[in-house]
Amino acid sequence: FTVEQARAVSGKEQYLELRFTDPLRTPQVLHGLITVAGRDDVRFTVSGSIVQVFGVKGFRGEQKVHVAAGVRNVLGYAMREAREWTVNFEELKPQVRFAGNGVIVPSSLGLRVPIAAVNVRSLTIEAMRIPEGSIPQFLQVNDLSGEEELYRVGRVVWKKKLSLNITPDKENRWVPVGLDLTTLTAESPGGLNRLTLSFRRPAVIWSSPGA
């Protein structure tokens, strides 16, 4: 019974994944048995033979993880030898995205849209409105998420720059943001508002070598 793999995972959440040869006993106190060098903010989730190690402040660059002898499998047998792994969390490229599909058909005031950003200090949201009378024309060449011939049936009616409070502990991590569309839905009721997200170079926190 031992650890057979350690890897860095950077998706919606960032964590260090350990794969053991056997499922682990649960519940089991892993603090002190699984440690990341220089970190005291880690927490664990166990699913079968996989342990996910999360850090409150995220992970960046090279991380050394130590698994002590004493971690037990589902039958109660303990690891006999400690293992140590080095994993590397690569810098995430600056990105912004919608949590949904990015198409909003406003029906009420107070609408909030979930978006997320990584390694970006600010972003711009732009809304193109397609009036109710033009929606049939729009749907002749599109579904609701389509983008063909947009300027033939719609025009930009709203634009907003949103500053993000990116503290050092939020760098290189996806940061959720709730976009308030109250103003947009109040000014442009009815029809279809198609939203786009963008950011400019000065807003970028990360920069690739040679860029």
Side-chain angles (χ1 to χ4, degrees), residues 12-92:
K12 289 184 178 181
E13 288 193 88
Q14 188 186 56
Y15 58 90
L16 193 155
E17 182 184 273
L18 299 172
R19 288 182 176 265
F20 289 78
T21 53
D22 300 332
L24 270 67
R25 166 177 282 184
T26 55
Q28 176 175 186
V29 178
L30 296 177
H31 285 281
L33 293 176
I34 300 176
T35 57
V36 181
R39 303 295 297 266
D40 60 1
D41 63 337
V42 295
R43 62 179 177 86
F44 310 96
T45 63
V46 179
S47 178
S49 60
I50 297 175
V51 174
Q52 295 175 339
V53 185
F54 296 86
V56 173
K57 299 179 180 179
F59 295 106
R60 203 166 192 167
E62 190 175 274
Q63 304 287 324
K64 291 185 178 180
V65 57
H66 179 84
V67 183
V71 175
R72 295 185 179 275
N73 70 5
V74 70
L75 297 177
Y77 293 107
M79 272 181 54
R80 294 184 177 181
E81 296 182 4
R83 296 293 304 273
E84 190 165 280
W85 299 77
T86 298
V87 298
N88 187 57
F89 285 83
E90 295 182 357
E91 201 83 4
L92 294 176

Side-chain angles (χ1 to χ4, degrees), residues 118-134:
V118 59
N119 287 337
V120 174
R121 294 188 183 91
S122 63
L123 56 91
T124 299
I125 306 98
E126 188 176 88
M128 172 174 283
R129 182 170 183 266
I130 300 170
E132 290 180 273
S134 299

